[in-house]
Amino acid sequence: VLKNRAALPLVFVFGFYFIAEHGVMNWLVAYATAGLGMEQAKASNYLAVFFGGVMLGRLVLSPLVDRLGILKSMGVFGSLSAVLYIAGVVGGAAAMPLWAASGFFLSILYPTLVMSIRLYFPAQQVSGAAGTILSIASLADILFNVGFGKLVDMTGYAVSIRVLPLSALAFFIVFILFTKFCKPTQKLK
């Protein structure tokens, strides 16, 4: 699996995606309360809107993946989610609704990314490839949380939170470069 030229780029795509999505789950409330001085109830509501958007987005946007195709869907929804996500974090408390709303477009990325693996690996390797890629990318997410906690202790939330939109941007850039330089080897049936 790792000899396939698509494996390592997909690990980075998934790794940056995991950091961006799980970073919201793990750090949004702490950032909003400790970093922005927001009430915990209000911060929790933004987290609820984010994950409510994830649920709703998967229901609403999944039929569009069939129409647009896997890679085009990733481009469209990846760009929309990245713009809202980045604007929401950079804009601070006033833009928190944008960060929360990014969950709607971010929602479809993970299942579509998983489906994209079959475009780059032979049918008999798809399950093994998915397991390998997701496992290695999960390590990036785990290591991120260890490092992020230390970064918060050293610099505070105002500086450290910038890692999350940078991960969202890195996800999108790496995905675009990946699709430009690594063409699918399998046809969908």
Side-chain angles (χ1 to χ4, degrees):
V1 166
L2 293 176
K3 291 179 182 176
N4 185 310
R5 68 183 294 229
L8 188 58
L10 281 170
V11 165
F12 281 102
V13 168
F14 274 96
F16 286 125
Y17 171 82
F18 286 156
I19 290 168
E21 181 185 328
H22 298 161
V24 173
M25 177 173 54
N26 296 334
W27 299 101
L28 183 140
V29 173
Y31 163 66
T33 55
L36 298 175
M38 198 175 284
E39 293 178 14
Q40 186 157 354
K42 188 172 184 179
S44 297
N45 286 340
Y46 285 123
L47 183 61
V49 169
F50 180 87
F51 281 103
V54 168
M55 182 216 44
L56 184 62
R58 286 186 178 155
L59 290 171
V60 173
L61 299 176
S62 59
L64 294 176
V65 174
D66 291 329
R67 287 190 186 153
L68 295 173
I70 292 171
L71 298 179
K72 188 171 184 182
S73 295
M74 289 297 302
V76 170
F77 301 127
S79 62
L80 291 170
S81 66
V83 166
L84 289 172
Y85 192 105
I86 293 165
V89 177
V90 172
M96 189 66 75
L98 295 176
W99 196 10
S102 72
F104 181 78
F105 295 109
L106 192 84
S107 67
I108 202 65
L109 299 180
Y110 178 72
T112 308
L113 271 172
V114 172
M115 288 184 352
S116 75
I117 293 171
R118 66 186 173 149
L119 298 173
Y120 298 94
F121 291 86
Q124 67 274 16
Q125 280 189 332
V126 171
S127 294
T132 301
I133 291 165
L134 293 173
S135 295
I136 296 170
S138 293
L139 289 174
D141 189 28
I142 293 165
L143 294 173
F144 160 75
N145 281 302
V146 170
F148 189 78
K150 291 179 182 187
L151 185 62
V152 169
D153 288 341
M154 291 180 349
T155 66
Y157 279 108
V159 172
S160 57
I161 202 68
R162 305 290 188 216
V163 173
L164 295 179
L166 289 174
S167 290
L169 182 61
F171 152 75
F172 189 65
I173 290 170
V174 171
F175 175 77
I176 294 300
L177 291 173
F178 167 67
T179 58
K180 182 176 181 175
F181 294 110
C182 194
K183 299 299 179 194
T185 58
Q186 309 300 318
K187 299 280 184 197
L188 292 179
K189 295 179 182 177

